[in-house]
Amino acid sequence: MSETNENTPVETPGVFTDEVVARLEQDAKEIISRYPKPRSSLLPLLHLVQAEEGHVSAEGMRFCADQLDITLAEVRAVATFYTMYRREPGGDYQVGVCTNTLCAVMGGDEIFSALKEHLDVANAGTTGDGKVTLEHVECNAACDFAPVVMVNWEFFDNQTPATAKQLVDDLRLGKDVAPTRGPASLCTWKQASRVLAGFDDGRAGEGVQAAGPSLAGLRIAERNGWTAPDPNNLPTRPDQGEEGAK
């Protein structure tokens, strides 16, 4: 008898009615039309089906395969490679705690441990009310604001165990929660997935996009009048002769 790896998510069946399929097919056509080769649209198509169910089910993968005329195995290989695709149902809010080097040193590990205990879930676990899924991530690409927590890919900078616990409590209570940077409010996991599928919700330019430490180098360059070298007139490196510079 084969053994099941408890760390491998089970692909759950979908609930695609005829009405859902017809609607998704319309959106899929729009997505596919943006690419010179149809199979290049697989990533946004997976976000599209995730926006429908909150995860990428076996039925969702089959839908993508049918739209692109590729095998289910090809779709599954992509869906199981990228961590942005859930393979089983999760919460309305995905809370990702960065535990990569800098965030971990600055308190990310402590925040993650505190949230696991506070929410009574393990990594990738979802609270009983279906509101929050907790996960550790390798990097949120915001090291200058470490430690960083992301909720549905929106930034919550300079967190502590106390502020992180307050954040998840507010999410579970349905309170208005504003990211540190970006939009003035949070969208749900499904809504975020639809945006990643390429359907703009009109909020991408809201709020502050870069601040504080991220702009420090730019400010120094502006004060000193520094600019990037002209790519058509680069200085000769010391180890290059005139011939090498060409």
Side-chain angles (χ1 to χ4, degrees):
M1 187 174 76
S2 62
E3 295 183 357
T4 301
N5 186 340
E6 63 180 7
N7 294 319
T8 302
V10 176
E11 291 171 3
T12 56
V15 287
F16 285 6
T17 64
D18 291 343
E19 182 275 328
V20 169
V21 170
R23 175 163 44 79
L24 289 179
E25 284 179 342
Q26 199 67 28
D27 288 340
K29 287 179 182 178
E30 182 176 339
I31 292 172
I32 294 169
S33 70
R34 302 170 187 161
Y35 295 84
K37 295 184 178 181
R39 68 178 299 144
S40 298
S41 65
L42 177 54
L43 295 180
L45 281 181
L46 286 167
H47 283 299
L48 177 67
V49 296
Q50 182 162 258
E52 185 65 34
E53 300 184 276
H55 66 289
V56 179
S57 67
E59 187 174 356
M61 286 189 271
R62 196 171 298 111
F63 173 85
C64 294
D66 290 344
Q67 301 307 302
L68 300 176
D69 194 24
I70 59 178
T71 67
L72 183 59
E74 290 175 294
V75 176
R76 184 177 286 113
V78 174
T80 58
F81 179 83
Y82 292 103
T83 58
M84 290 179 74
Y85 302 118
R86 291 178 179 168
R87 290 170 58 199
E88 55 187 2
D92 293 333
Y93 300 99
Q94 181 121 339
V95 176
V97 182
C98 183
T99 55
N100 211 336
T101 307
L102 185 57
C103 276
V105 169
M106 298 295 287
D109 284 343
E110 185 181 358
I111 291 172
F112 186 58
S113 295
L115 288 181
K116 284 195 295 183
E117 180 179 357
H118 184 64
L119 297 172
D120 192 25
V121 296
N123 181 45
T126 301
T127 54
D129 57 9
K131 293 293 186 181
V132 171
T133 296
L134 177 68
E135 68 166 354
H136 77 83
V137 294
E138 287 304 313
C139 185
N140 279 330
C143 300
D144 41 352
F145 293 100
V148 174
V149 172
M150 292 192 88
V151 180
N152 294 348
W153 315 119
E154 298 293 353
F155 290 106
F156 289 81
D157 304 322
N158 301 311
Q159 292 293 293
T160 66
T163 60
K165 286 191 283 187
Q166 185 63 57
L167 169 61
V168 296
D169 285 348
D170 289 345
L171 291 173
R172 298 182 72 184
L173 291 171
K175 294 184 177 180
D176 292 333
V177 176
T180 308
R181 290 173 282 137
S185 60
L186 286 171
C187 61
T188 66
W189 173 258
K190 289 182 179 181
Q191 290 168 336
S193 294
R194 185 167 176 81
V195 171
L196 291 171
F199 295 95
D200 185 15
D201 65 356
R203 304 194 305 162
E206 286 184 4
V208 175
Q209 304 298 312
S214 299
L215 300 176
L218 175 63
R219 300 293 180 245
I220 293 171
E222 289 174 341
R223 285 199 301 269
N224 289 277
W226 298 340
T227 59
D230 181 353
N232 299 313
N233 187 29
L234 296 175
T236 303
R237 289 187 352 212
D239 62 333
Q240 289 180 324
E242 189 173 313
E243 193 65 30
K246 298 178 182 178

